[in-house]
Every structure is written in C-alpha cells, then in structure tokens.
Amino acid sequence: MTQSHVAIVAFPFSSHAGSLFSLARAMAALSPSSHFSFLSTKRSLSSFNSQQLLQNISLVPISDGITTPQARHHIEAIELFLKSFKESLREGLKAAELAQDCKVRCIVSDAFVWLTGDVADEMAVNWVPVRTGSPLDLYARLNADLIKEIVAVRSYGDNLLSFLPCLSNHRATDLPYGLNTGDPNFVYHLICDQMARKLPESDILVTNTIQGLECNLDSYFKQNFTNYFPVGPFHLLNPSQKEPPTDSYGCLSWLDRHEPATVAYVSLGTIAFLCPSELTSLANGLEASGVPFLWSLKEETQSHLPSGFIDRMNETGKGKIVPWTPQTSVLKHSAVGAFVSHCGWNSVLESIVGGVPLVCRPFFGDQTINTRLVSYVWKVGVAMDAGVFTEETVVRAFDVIFKRDEGKKMKSKMNELKDMVIAAVEENGSSKENLKRLMKIVCGS
Ligand code: U2F
C-alpha cells in the first residue's frame, strides 16, 4: 500500500534529467513504501534503462510541446517545451495520480522548470526545487540585481568581485554569459533569471553538492532557505547500483592497457561543441603533446577532424575516439591523469570523485564560474589562457599536469576534495544525513 505519492519533474535537456533521476532513485530506495512518479518527455525517459528502475518508481511521459515532426535545434526544442510546460505538467500529474490511484503529496522538480512551483500551489502541495547544476552559479543568479548594479557602473574587468562573499575570488569575466554580458533574451539566461526570481518564494532548496565544498555557500543558502539540503553528488547516492557500466566502445579495456595517470580523457559534455578550427587546434594539441588520450566525440563531429587524424591515432594507438564513454567509470580508472572538460557541473563532480585534475575550456552557463572555482579557488586544474583551445595551450596544460610539481600539487589537492566528497556519501556522512532530513518533507516520514 502506497503511503505517499511523490512527483519528480525533470528538465528534459542535456544531463539534467539523468542527474535528477539519480536523486529519485536514492529517494525511492530510502522510502520503499512511497511511490515516485518521474515526469519527463518521452525522449528523455527513453535514455533510462529498465535496470535503473526500482519497483516504486514509474516513468510518466509529458508532452515536449512539439506538434509538427521536423528536426529542431535544441534551443527551439527548449522554447517549445517551456511554452506548453504548465499544461503538460498538469496532464502528466493527473495521469500519475490515476495510475497510482493516489494523490500526489509533494512535487520535487529541477529548479530550471520553476513553473512547477505554480502548479504545486494550485494543488496546495509542497514544491521542492532542486538545483542540478552549479550551486555557485545559482548564488550569482540570486545576486543578479546587485551584480548588475555594481558591475555595470564600474569597469570591473579582471578585478575580484569582493562585494560578494561567495564569489570574492571570481572576476566579472567569470560570471555566466547573459548575467551581465551577451543576449539577455537567450533562453538559458531567461530560464536562470526567472528561476532565481521564483526560488526565494520557496523556503526549500536542494543542491547537487556537499556541505563545505564551496566557501561560505552553506551559510548563504541556510540564511535564505529555511530548509537547505546539499545532498550531492547525486550519482553517488546509490551505492547498491550493481550493474556493470555499459561500455559499448571498449573504453575501459583500452584504459587497462595504460600505466597509472598517463592518459588524458577528453569530453565536452552533452551540448557544447567546437567550431572546426578550434576542433583542429585541440586535435593538433593532443597529438603534439604525445599524451595518450580517450576522446568522447559525437559521430557527426568526428567528420570535422583533420584528415587522417583518426587513422593515425588508431595506427599508433595514441588516441581512442568514441561517440560515448561510461564517463564516471572512466574518471575512476587509474590510467586517467587529466580531464579536458567544458566544466559542466556533473563533470566537475565526477572528476573530483576520480581524483583527476582538469583542463578547463568553458562555453556558457555555469561553466565559466566552475572553471574559476577549479583553476583558481581549488587549484585543481588549468584554464585555457586564451579561453579557447590552441595547440600550444593544450600542450602546456598537459606539461603542467603530467610533468610539473604544480601538477602533483593539483593531484594531491584533488585527492583531498575526493576524500571530502566520499565521506559525505558514506553512511552518516553529511549528504546521507541531509537526504534523510529531506525525506521527511518529501514523504512525510
Ligand atoms: C549542462 O551540461 P552537460 O550536460 O553538457 O555536462 P555535465 O553537467 O558535465 O554532464 C555531462 C554528463 O554526461 C555524462 C557525464 C556527465 O554525467 O558522465 N557523459 C557520459 O557519461 N559519457 C560521455 O561520453 C559524455 C558525457 C550544462 F551545459 C552545464 O553548464 C551544467 O553545469 C550541466 C548541469 O546542469 O548541464
């Protein structure tokens, strides 16, 4: 008999839904007598395999807002999804209640789909917003008015943002695109801006981080949200996950053939992409460095690599290029000594868990803030000097990480962060304890 019915609502683009699904699994495991309906678009739900489902989780499709079948740029797909979101969500929730024959008592959602808060109000149930991306980025968004006021009137440039306690080691140039630069009507910026205006209406906030990882952030969030739960990293909350990683391209066996900390892993996440000339610079830098590498690169992008590059890498065995890797396992493999990344928040957390220093090339959103955190605050990575890949900067970054004392210090600092994170998800660790507290709000027990 289901005691509580909880709805969990995903933002169905990039890695957001996967990240929230890890949290959903952890909640479902902690409360077997509750039922969890996970709502997202059909397409995003199709990426979860049945092995990942627990008995008390069901997947509930909601409309993607697309009425005519034609290829869409993902920005247009997001706009269409959001346009019909409230209506789709109401329908999805009705279907979930009918299927379980039980009213929903609480709605947990990705903070990106902040309109969920309005629907929860209509139903007179609790709304629990979850920030799946960088919490420090959320802090910047929550302080956007102050930032715009101060940064716009003075020429800040590379000066530190000392008026913001949690970003006092960041510069104006590290702030997210759209916050005080670029097109304010860009859909990602609009989502973040509206999310930051809506969130203070809630007294609950869940983040994908651990207590104490980012200086001063816990006390800021505690002051602003009576119920603040840092319960990350979400992907580590399910220790009972026994199934071996899907490794369709043999990445792990390829890594097995390499000595410890000798290989670079390259991945720019799920949506960022390089223009052909920068892709060539990265490829040339990887080749010139002589460091063996595993590169996750979508098939359609592989065709833009310099001619003969893939064949040469296959023949020499220096590089393996695949469309997808089991990244969390790759980063935990002893052979991996550096991670060339766009610094998406999940990638940063996964790199910490693997104890692997980063080479950072941010694109948009929270990635610039994360890059500064990694390279300057934590000192566990190297940022590209010019902001983009050049052959020289790639070679130099590997030289630092693989050969210099500075690289050894990064590795040891990374291992300290790793120990903190692992301790947080152990039994009685802060994330596990915070999750138990959160469950009292979500399930009522
Ligand atoms: C958006 O970021 P992305 O989805 O592009 O990047 P990440 O947050 O780093 O997440 C990528 C995930 O995809 C997985 C990897 C991460 O969990 O393990 N993955 C994989 O398993 N195999 C591969 O070959 C490649 C990737 C956004 F752009 C960022 O700015 C945000 O920080 C982020 C979170 O909100 O979402």
Side-chain angles (χ1 to χ4, degrees):
M1 157 83 183
T2 299
Q3 280 173 1
S4 307
H5 183 191
V6 178
I8 303 188
V9 186
F11 176 70
F13 300 94
S14 71
S15 53
H16 280 244
S19 180
L20 191 67
F21 190 67
S22 295
L23 179 63
R25 277 180 50 110
M27 288 180 168
L30 269 184
S31 183
S33 59
S34 303
H35 192 85
F36 295 80
S37 294
F38 191 88
L39 287 81
S40 194
T41 59
K42 226 187 211 162
R43 189 190 161 128
S44 117
L45 294 178
S46 68
S47 62
F48 306 132
N49 62 44
S50 53
Q51 281 174 323
Q52 293 174 298
L53 285 179
L54 302 179
Q55 268 188 345
N56 57 338
I57 299 187
S58 50
L59 303 181
V60 181
I62 61 170
S63 167
D64 55 13
I66 295 177
T67 46
T68 51
Q70 71 189 71
R72 314 264 171 188
H73 185 271
H74 98 272
I75 296 294
E76 193 192 349
I78 294 174
E79 285 166 348
L80 287 170
F81 169 73
L82 292 177
K83 214 166 162 190
S84 63
F85 173 73
K86 263 196 189 179
E87 205 35 57
S88 314
L89 178 59
R90 288 189 195 105
E91 278 170 23
L93 289 168
K94 255 188 230 149
E97 289 185 333
L98 209 63
Q100 298 311 317
D101 193 17
C102 184
K103 289 273 172 211
V104 163
R105 79 173 303 277
C106 173
I107 312 181
V108 177
S109 89
D110 191 313
F112 262 29
V113 280
W114 54 270
L115 282 168
T116 305
D118 294 352
V119 177
D121 282 349
E122 289 165 16
M123 294 168 66
V125 297
N126 259 339
W127 173 45
V128 176
V130 180
R131 173 66 179 140
T132 53
S134 160
L136 204 48
D137 175 80
L138 175 59
Y139 169 82
R141 308 283 180 179
L142 290 168
N143 286 283
D145 291 340
L146 179 66
I147 290 174
K148 279 179 199 158
E149 201 183 304
I150 297 184
V151 173
V153 289
R154 296 185 209 156
S155 170
Y156 249 78
D158 280 350
N159 292 327
L160 298 179
L161 300 169
S162 40
F163 62 95
L164 290 168
C166 303
L167 282 171
S168 57
N169 283 309
H170 282 67
R171 305 158 299 182
T173 45
D174 300 313
L175 289 169
Y177 175 83
L179 200 149
N180 68 342
T181 53
D183 176 7
N185 292 318
F186 180 54
V187 67
Y188 272 110
H189 172 60
L190 287 177
I191 292 173
C192 292
D193 192 47
Q194 289 159 347
M195 165 185 77
R197 292 186 193 286
K198 181 74 183 174
L199 279 185
E201 287 176 21
S202 166
D203 63 351
I204 308 172
L205 177 68
V206 179
T207 57
N208 189 7
T209 190
I210 67 158
Q211 235 163 264
L213 193 62
E214 297 105 330
C215 181
N216 296 327
L217 207 52
D218 294 324
S219 50
Y220 173 81
F221 283 144
K222 268 188 205 152
Q223 272 164 24
N224 288 277
F225 299 91
T226 322
N227 298 293
Y228 166 57
F229 305 101
V231 299
F234 297 164
H235 76 281
L236 289 190
L237 294 173
N238 293 292
S240 58
Q241 215 159 332
K242 292 216 173 64
E243 60 272 17
T246 312
D247 186 13
S248 317
Y249 302 97
C251 301
L252 299 173
S253 51
W254 185 83
L255 289 171
D256 286 343
R257 298 200 286 276
H258 291 83
E259 295 295 316
T262 54
V263 173
Y265 171 57
V266 187
S267 167
L268 304 177
T270 57
I271 39 177
F273 66 92
L274 292 170
C275 67
S277 70
E278 199 182 342
L279 186 74
T280 300
S281 301
L282 173 57
N284 289 343
L286 291 170
E287 189 169 8
S289 72
V291 172
F293 63 87
L294 170 65
W295 190 350
S296 167
L297 188 65
K298 292 193 185 100
E299 246 152 47
E300 62 267 28
T301 315
Q302 291 184 18
S303 59
H304 298 296
L305 283 167
S307 101
F309 180 78
I310 296 186
D311 290 343
R312 233 172 20 254
M313 294 306 107
N314 285 337
E315 277 157 25
T316 57
K318 272 290 180 193
K320 185 171 173 69
I321 301 152
V322 298
W324 191 254
T325 69
Q327 182 167 301
T328 49
S329 304
V330 164
L331 286 166
K332 281 195 268 183
H333 196 289
S334 61
V336 177
F339 179 18
V340 181
S341 169
H342 65 316
C343 284
W345 187 240
N346 292 296
S347 291
V348 171
L349 290 175
E350 290 163 13
S351 211
I352 293 177
V353 174
V356 179
L358 291 129
V359 174
C360 313
R361 188 326 191 176
F363 290 77
F364 63 88
D366 58 2
Q367 298 158 19
T368 45
I369 276 200
N370 299 341
T371 291
R372 180 74 170 177
L373 185 64
V374 163
S375 61
Y376 187 84
V377 182
W378 290 335
K379 296 189 173 36
V380 294
V382 180
M384 289 290 96
D385 289 343
V388 294
F389 293 121
T390 65
E391 183 176 327
E392 295 72 31
T393 51
V394 173
V395 171
R396 212 176 312 136
F398 284 172
D399 184 56
V400 169
I401 290 181
F402 286 103
K403 296 189 186 141
R404 311 244 164 221
D405 279 351
E406 203 184 331
K408 285 194 193 113
K409 282 187 198 144
M410 285 178 193
K411 174 78 184 163
S412 114
K413 184 72 212 298
M414 201 46 142
N415 282 333
E416 284 172 26
L417 296 181
K418 173 181 171 176
D419 291 345
M420 265 178 85
V421 168
I422 301 294
V425 291
E426 271 166 6
E427 249 0 275
N428 306 322
S430 61
S431 288
K432 282 287 172 73
E433 291 301 308
N434 288 334
L435 184 60
K436 286 181 204 155
R437 285 197 302 121
L438 171 63
M439 293 306 282
K440 293 206 172 100
I441 292 183
V442 170
C443 297
S445 59

